[in-house]
Amino acid sequence: MNGDVYNPRYIFWSRIVSTLIWPIYFLFNLFRQAHKINHEDIGSILVCQYQRIGDILLIVPVLESLKKRFPKAKITLLCCSAGEPLARDLELADKVIGIDVPWTTWSFSPLRWFCARSFARTFQNQNIDLAIDFKGDLRNSWFLWHVKPKMSLGYTDTGGSFFFSDPKNPSFGVHQTNRSLELISHLGCEIEKRGQGDSVFNDDGFIVIHIGGTDPRRLWPEEKWVELINLLSRDHHIAFVKILETGSVIQRINDKKINIEIFEGDLVQFKHWLKNQKMLIGIDSMPVHLAAYVGIPVLTLFGSQDPNLTHPLGRWTEIVSPELPCHHKRNHWRLCSKCMDAIAPEKVSLAVKNLLSRVKKTH
């Protein structure tokens, strides 16, 4: 399994771009006012985490550490638009702002890039003391430079150290949450996992199935989900989360006359409903992180990607992955649909049984 955060090819080309534009931004930085701000004087913090909804949940411990370290500071979280309602509901920051930038929506329109830069510059009149970006992506770093904070902190995976007042070399092969906590440790924040909620077990609730994900190479085949639901429905009440892509799966389930509950609602409603359920089964995506956050048991299906980087953080979490390492010919540097296909429903069903057995022993 690959422990890299970014495609090595993307890192290679980004560093070339970084080297080419360095002289330009070196000159720009000469005309910028230098600030030496004492950590104890930090009164406003901008946290940028606008890639995916799951990324927001992975930095909950980070936001809590920042609040503890800077109790008088006003924290603004800049997240993706889809995750804004959830971040507000969870009260993760004093202010939550949603944004969709072109490099996360795969838009190559120059106008959208110009709008992103203009949006970043709207923060300049807010006198931001500290701005943080955890991604180490050259485009994120460029965006943060236009915010013009007094102090900026970020990783340099793809170059762009000149975009930060305090650039840091990244750690590799560590979980994204630990990677983010390591970054803010330079501010005197404690490095410890927290923010995962209390562990709860609702034996009368549903086993929740969520099959969705942003990349089709993460997905488990529909017929295997139907087979798993059929196996689990013999001993458990099953709930299925309806999203745009699930129409054909629901039809397959109905054809087999399997009795299930269908959940339909927005993300905030899903969060409040989910915390009363028995457990959740899903792929490497936002729902498994949300389930871990609310404290219920979670089973996550991983293919060729390294679960050590993004697995859900909670007391009762279990990973199911293929028996063999990936040797398939694939069109993605990290994800492999054939590896997902190799996971058998019987293996997942057994993992559910074992996980619930361990949970019940403690309740």
Side-chain angles (χ1 to χ4, degrees), residues 31-64:
F31 295 95
R32 283 202 167 196
Q33 181 181 357
H35 295 278
K36 287 190 176 181
I37 183 169
N38 190 301
H39 288 175
E40 306 309 318
D41 296 330
I42 292 176
S44 57
I45 303 173
L46 175 67
V47 176
C48 297
Q49 189 74 309
Y50 45 76
Q51 263 65 22
R52 299 284 182 265
I53 302 174
D55 293 332
I56 301 171
L57 295 167
L58 286 174
I59 65 160
V60 168
V62 176
L63 292 167
E64 293 185 347

Side-chain angles (χ1 to χ4, degrees), residues 32-38 41-44 126-131 147-153 164-166:
R32 283 202 167 196
Q33 181 181 357
H35 295 278
K36 287 190 176 181
I37 183 169
N38 190 301
D41 296 330
I42 292 176
S44 57
Q126 297 184 31
N127 199 30
I128 301 294
D129 291 325
L130 168 66
V147 170
K148 208 171 181 180
K150 295 177 182 176
M151 176 183 178
S152 54
L153 185 66
F164 299 102
S165 67
D166 291 79

